[in-house]
Amino acid sequence: MGMHGMGTHGRGTRTGAHIVWDWNGTLFHDNDAIIGATNAAFAELGLAPITMEQYRALYCVPVPKFYERLMGRLPTEAEWLVMDETFHRYYTEHRVGCGLTVGATELLIGWRSAGRSQSILSMYGHEDLVPLVRGFGIEAHFVRVDGRTGPSGGSKAEHMERHVAALAGVDPARTVVIGDAADDAVAALHVGARAVLYTGGSHSRASLEEVGVPVVDSLAEAVAEAERIAA
């Protein structure tokens, strides 16, 4: 099965179920880099650092809204640019110490060897994402890897629309988005796909449970759930 083995079968891949994986906080366990980058961004504006618990309880998109919850007001455009730039610079430096979520590689291999397809859609910049995925040696498991193009901080919904449209022979109704944020579920529903949310990333179980989709504590459970609901 070559790199493009899956796409070429077209209608032949009747096993049908497709997973769209989120990257940050889902396949990529980067919580420490994220909280550090957030606090570095806060420090630029003289704000006190926050804990992982506070972050998980308050995080939301669009990201300026998250900052509003912490600052008591929306950041100005100038403040947002400084924070965004600081966040990305710090994150890029510290992500090198982060690895894949435990068991992720085995799950990717298992899903693919069952003849099913999977892809990545991330709000992490496309130019940064692709070499990172390649560096972990997992690129061959995905029919498509898409990072964000354009400005950061928005919702995933319109990116999901483009991503799913570009997947040949994948039925949105048999597609499950696995991510760690409420926004992953919003993006899934936007294209008529299903979602499973994972608590190991940057969001609290309470904030994920409000969405009304299955919430799980491990990627193995997420894949089992995806298999069940896309069958």
Side-chain angles (χ1 to χ4, degrees):
M1 201 79 145
M3 272 291 294
H4 302 289
M6 292 205 168
T8 53
H9 291 224
R11 302 253 169 270
T13 47
R14 286 292 273 274
T15 44
H18 178 87
I19 291 175
V20 178
W21 290 95
D22 170 54
W23 179 247
N24 305 95
T26 304
L27 287 175
F28 189 44
H29 188 66
D30 59 354
N31 291 5
D32 291 345
I34 294 267
I35 191 74
T38 299
N39 283 332
F42 283 176
E44 284 292 316
L45 300 194
L47 297 168
I50 60 167
T51 64
M52 193 69 203
E53 286 61 45
Q54 287 171 300
Y55 181 93
R56 288 167 58 96
L58 295 169
Y59 185 81
C60 63
V61 296
V63 180
K65 204 85 194 131
F66 165 58
Y67 289 144
E68 181 183 23
R69 290 178 170 185
L70 290 153
M71 296 165 67
R73 61 175 176 83
L74 273 171
T76 65
E77 197 158 336
E79 286 172 333
W80 162 251
L81 290 172
V82 167
M83 291 169 95
D84 197 45
E85 195 276 327
T86 305
F87 179 96
H88 286 105
R89 186 169 23 113
Y90 181 102
Y91 179 84
T92 302
E93 250 171 73
H94 290 79
R95 71 166 193 218
V96 292
C98 304
L100 295 176
T101 301
V102 176
T105 306
E106 294 74 9
L107 291 167
L108 296 173
I109 292 168
W111 187 262
R112 183 184 174 205
S113 52
R116 304 186 185 103
S117 62
Q118 56 199 336
S119 57
I120 291 177
L121 175 62
S122 173
M123 296 299 272
Y124 192 47
H126 188 73
E127 284 71 32
D128 295 313
L129 175 70
V130 173
L132 196 49
V133 171
R134 196 168 284 157
F136 283 115
I138 56 173
E139 192 184 19
H141 304 314
F142 305 103
V143 292
R144 192 176 179 89
V145 175
D146 280 336
R148 174 183 49 75
T149 51
S152 67
S155 170
K156 212 171 192 173
E158 64 213 64
H159 295 273
M160 185 67 74
E161 214 172 303
R162 285 195 294 273
H163 182 76
V164 169
L167 296 170
V170 168
D171 175 6
R174 306 211 43 207
T175 296
V176 180
V177 176
I178 298 178
D180 69 318
D183 192 53
D184 289 302
V186 171
L189 299 172
H190 181 72
V191 296
R194 313 288 290 273
V196 177
L197 298 177
Y198 161 63
T199 61
S202 52
H203 296 254
S204 65
R205 175 175 266 282
S207 69
L208 297 179
E209 282 178 340
E210 285 170 22
V211 188
V213 301
V215 175
V216 298
D217 296 317
S218 73
L219 292 187
E221 288 171 81
V223 170
E225 192 61 30
E227 206 164 338
R228 196 182 66 74
I229 61 186

